[in-house]
C-alpha cells in the first residue's frame, strides 16, 4: 500500500511568484485535504477535494487554489506569494469524508520558504 | 467546530505513564474526539478516536467522561521516541471536511 506522497519536499520562492505543490493520495482514497502549518503552530485547513470537487474551504484568500484529478491526486497552487506563506504544506488523504473514522493520512509535507 | 484546550507542554521520564487532558466544553452530540501525534517535519499521525467511556488500542487509551466535555489521552510507559506534539481534535461524524488542530501539547520525554 503506497502512502501519501508530496513533491517537492523543499522549495524557495520570492515574493510575488507562484508555486504549485503536488500530492498523490494513498491507494484507494478519494478525498484530499490541504493544510498549512506555520512554525510552532498546528496545521490549518486550506481546502478539501472530494471526487474532484472542492468540498469546503478554510479561511484562506482566493490566491490559494487547488485541483483534484481523476486519479485523486491533487495540486495546491498559490499565486502572488507573500512572506507569511512560508510554511509546511501538508496533504492528507482519506477514503470518503474522514469524520467517519477520524483518520486522515498525511504526507511528509512540502516546506515552502518565501524570500 | 468545538474548540479544544490542552496544556502547551508536558515533561515526563522514560517508563512513566503520561496523561494529556483536553477540554472541549462545546462538544456536540455527533462529535467524536480524536488524537493525533506529530514529529518535527512530519505530517500528523492518527492515534485514537472515541465517543464515550474508554477506548484502547495498541499505542494508547482514551478516557471520556459521561458529560464528554473533556478527554484524556493516556500513553503507557513512554519512551524517548514518544517526544512529539499531541493534538486533540473534535470531529463531527457526518459530512465533515476539515479538522481543527489547535496548538497541541508538546510532550518532552527525558531519559
Amino acid at each position: 500500500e503506497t502512502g501519501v506522497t508530496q513533491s517537492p519536499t523543499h522549495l524557495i520562492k520570492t515574493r510575488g511568484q507562484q508555486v504549485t505543490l503536488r500530492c498523490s493520495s494513498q491507494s484507494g482514497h478519494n478525498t484530499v485535504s490541504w493544510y498549512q502549518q506555520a512554525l510552532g503552530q498546528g496545521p490549518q485547513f486550506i481546502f478539501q477535494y472530494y471526487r474532484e470537487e472542492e468540498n469546503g474551504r478554510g479561511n484562506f484568500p482566493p490566491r490559494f487554489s487547488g485541483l483534484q484529478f481523476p486519479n485523486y491526486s491533487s495540486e495546491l497552487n498559490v499565486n502572488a506569494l507573500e512572506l507569511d506563506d512560508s510554511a509546511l504544506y501538508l496533504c492528507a488523504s482519506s477514503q470518503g469524508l474522514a469524520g467517519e473514522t477520524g483518520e486522515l493520512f498525511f504526507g511528509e509535507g512540502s516546506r515552502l520558504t518565501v524570500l | 467546530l468545538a474548540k479544544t484546550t490542552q496544556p502547551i507542554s508536558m515533561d515526563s521520564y522514560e517508563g512513566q505513564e503520561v496523561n494529556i487532558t483536553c477540554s472541549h466544553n462545546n462538544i456536540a452530540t455527533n462529535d467524536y474526539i480524536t488524537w493525533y501525534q506529530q514529529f518535527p517535519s512530519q505530517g500528523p499521525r492518527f492515534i485514537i478516536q472515541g465517543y464515550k467511556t474508554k477506548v484502547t488500542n495498541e499505542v494508547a487509551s482514551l478516557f471520556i467522561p459521561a458529560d464528554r466535555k473533556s478527554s484524556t489521552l493516556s500513553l503507557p510507559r513512554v519512551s524517548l521516541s514518544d517526544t512529539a506534539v499531541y493534538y486533540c481534535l473534535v470531529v463531527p461524524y457526518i459530512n465533515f471536511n476539515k479538522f481543527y488542530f489547535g496548538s497541541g501539547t508538546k510532550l518532552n520525554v527525558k531519559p
Side-chain angles (χ1 to χ4, degrees):
Chain A
E1 185 178 83
T2 307
V4 177
T5 58
Q6 293 186 242
S7 63
T9 54
H10 296 82
L11 69 167
I12 300 173
K13 294 285 189 177
T14 56
R15 273 172 35 179
Q17 285 189 312
Q18 179 265 345
V19 68
T20 297
L21 307 178
R22 295 177 176 82
C23 171
S24 293
S25 59
Q26 183 161 313
S27 176
H29 288 181
N30 58 10
T31 305
V32 171
S33 305
W34 286 91
Y35 287 79
Q36 179 196 65
Q37 186 171 26
L39 206 58
Q41 306 290 320
Q44 300 225 4
F45 176 74
I46 303 175
F47 42 57
Q48 182 186 77
Y49 280 85
Y50 174 59
R51 295 183 176 178
E52 302 178 58
E53 298 281 334
E54 186 178 293
N55 182 51
R57 187 179 185 92
N59 189 26
F60 282 82
R63 59 189 185 84
F64 285 78
S65 63
L67 283 173
Q68 188 179 32
F69 300 100
N71 66 355
Y72 302 126
S73 66
S74 179
E75 284 184 356
L76 164 64
N77 299 290
V78 187
N79 293 322
L81 284 167
E82 301 176 0
L83 297 179
D84 285 348
D85 295 334
S86 295
L88 181 67
Y89 288 85
L90 294 162
C91 171
S93 74
S94 59
Q95 176 53 39
L97 300 171
E100 296 176 354
T101 65
E103 191 163 5
L104 291 175
F105 294 82
F106 282 86
E108 300 287 287
S110 294
R111 172 74 63 187
L112 171 65
T113 301
V114 182
L115 302 177
Chain B
L1 290 174
K3 290 293 182 71
T4 60
T5 302
Q6 338 173 201
I8 294 173
S9 65
M10 294 180 66
D11 288 333
S12 181
Y13 291 92
E14 282 192 292
Q16 289 188 330
E17 178 184 75
V18 170
N19 295 309
I20 306 175
T21 297
C22 176
S23 67
H24 25 79
N25 291 320
N26 297 323
I27 192 168
T29 303
N30 65 343
D31 289 345
Y32 278 67
I33 297 137
T34 309
W35 287 79
Y36 277 76
Q37 174 194 57
Q38 187 177 28
F39 299 112
S41 297
Q42 293 187 23
R45 184 175 69 101
F46 173 87
I47 301 174
I48 197 166
Q49 175 169 274
Y51 185 80
K52 61 181 178 180
T53 62
K54 178 183 175 182
V55 179
T56 298
N57 63 21
E58 62 276 9
V59 298
S61 294
L62 178 58
F63 298 91
I64 305 168
D67 67 5
R68 303 198 331 119
K69 293 183 183 299
S70 67
S71 59
T72 299
L73 175 72
S74 181
L75 304 172
R77 297 180 299 282
V78 294
S79 64
L80 296 176
S81 63
D82 292 315
T83 294
V85 178
Y86 292 82
Y87 295 97
C88 166
L89 291 79
V90 171
V91 177
Y93 180 75
I94 297 173
N95 292 332
F96 187 66
N97 60 16
K98 62 181 171 183
F99 285 24
Y100 176 75
F101 276 83
S103 297
T105 298
K106 176 69 169 70
L107 173 65
N108 183 29
V109 180
K110 303 174 184 179

